[in-house]
Amino acid sequence: MKYILVTGGVISGIGKGIIASSVGTILKSCGLHVTAIKIDPYINIDAGTFSPYEHGEVFVLDDGGEVDLDLGNYERFLDIRLTKDNNLTTGKIYQSVITKERRGDYLGKTVQVVPHITDAIQEWVMRQAKVSVDDDGVEPQVCVIELGGTVGDIESMPFIEAFRQFQFKVKRENFCNIHVSLVPQIVCRCSTPLDTAVKEKISMFCHVEPEQVICIHDVSSLYRVPLLLEDQGMVEYFCRRLDLPIEKRPHRMLTKWKEMSDRTDRLLEHTSIALVGKYTKLSDSYASVIKALEHSALAINYKLEVKYIDSADLEPSTQQEEPVKYHEAWQKLCSANGVLVPGGFGVRGTEGKIQAIRWARQQKKPFLGICLGMQLAVCEFARNVLGWQDANSTEFDPETKHPVVIDMPEHNPGQMGGTMRLGKRRTIFNSTSSILRKLYGDVEHVDERHRHRFEVNPELKHHFEEKGLRFVGQDLAGKRMEVIELEDHPYFVGVQYHPEFTSRPIKPSPPYFGLLLAAAAKLQSYLIKGCRLSPRDTYSDCSGSSSPDSELSDLKFLSV
């Protein structure tokens, strides 16, 4: 096993995650099996209880793990499937050590940071590095480890010490460190390429060879970062430093990345999507949603504009208190080519989301509702089509006479962390005419990731279907409503799951792909053609990766 540790200095958020993902990408393109681990030094057990404003999006894995958004980058760049143990936190480490101490595993010894915590960190990394992340079940050959925060943070110290020891445990030829730092003008991050003299100066003061100073300057697209690393000889360096079993330079996989990057720079046509949410002041709150939209826009050769709208600004109370903000929000919504209401929690802004959904339904604007977005679409329909004026979710109004969305029986309201319906679950399509089924490649079922505590009330299903809101996808038992579609509408779709978590740059998520097709007025012609250029042409059956040695399917872009 070869280990590559990525650390950061000067400032947090300098781009360690993209560097780690890009390093993994160029090594995988050489035919190696690559895995990734993210270390977060905070004391939380996982990211499940974070506010999106605190730490960005909570990314959900197949096994239900609620993890740091950087694991989303790893999965998208490397096209792999990770587990919750690929995200290591101080909380997890201390919890495991304290559990062992209570069990008597340390035989009465004084339990200390060194050696017990540091040993636990090393054991966790070595154990998790061997877990397969590819569909072929092959054990990884390279593990890329990203240490969050910056070197010098007090909470990072046990991890720094653990890896200081680790380099001797696994031997020099199996371990190397990439340090991402800032070159103010801001491997080295900067706005323009560094000249040779600057690289030589960094080399001298950092005690590394000049070839080990890699410049990652600002580029037009994140997809160009792996290409930039490869151009500066990083593969050749790793081959020598880690004695990697690589016989050829990266070719086919990186060729596709270059094609994709070039197309991104040449896009001429534009389309816009209104993202109506609660956390729109921080784009990282919806990181995977934005990426899924970008993947789909690129697949139809369109440049994407995301119009961020705080849902509370669409509500009548804002019209009274801040009329300018209210009218600006509505102007954004009305000028968009499509509407997306993503997942979320809490009552703030829900009425504004319902207003946006009503507008999209009545104006026949393409609409996609994710998780809470689907639930609110059901609430809106109940109020304005079925005439149930107080229809609501019991999350927001426990006393409503029309509880169209209810909490799930297994939900434990006494504890917040890890109590939701999480991870990969199967959805069965019960209609052959479903638009979403066709977008998935006319499959009978799909496996997608979930993160929710509430669900559509199954006892009221028939009331909606009589008026044209069809529940075309359900769980295995036929009890949970997973997919809604509205008749006589260009594209009005809601899903209980989070398809954005399995979207890939060259394998766009079908629900998002459908939204972008509809927003560009291309969906009907695409369906008439039999979806022969469906995303499923380049979208593996379970959204996982193929072996890096297997033939990659051709990158296809649509001309519909």
Side-chain angles (χ1 to χ4, degrees), residues 525-541:
S525 63
Y526 176 77
L527 294 174
I528 290 171
K529 291 179 181 180
C531 300
R532 63 177 182 270
L533 294 178
S534 166
R536 297 298 286 194
D537 290 347
T538 56
Y539 193 88
S540 61
D541 289 342

Side-chain angles (χ1 to χ4, degrees), residues 512-528:
Y512 286 89
F513 184 66
L515 176 66
L516 266 296
L517 279 172
K522 294 176 181 282
L523 179 59
Q524 288 307 310
S525 63
Y526 176 77
L527 294 174
I528 290 171

Side-chain angles (χ1 to χ4, degrees), residues 232-244:
Q232 295 182 67
M234 184 163 273
V235 172
E236 289 83 354
Y237 174 76
F238 280 138
C239 284
R240 295 194 306 273
R241 176 67 175 76
L242 297 174
D243 192 25
L244 292 173

Side-chain angles (χ1 to χ4, degrees), residues 43 88 94 109 125 127 192 194 206 216 316-317 328 339 349 533:
I43 299 176
L88 176 57
Y94 273 81
K109 293 181 179 178
V125 168
R127 181 176 65 250
T192 57
L194 295 178
C206 294
I216 307 299
S317 58
E328 286 177 348
V339 179
L533 294 178

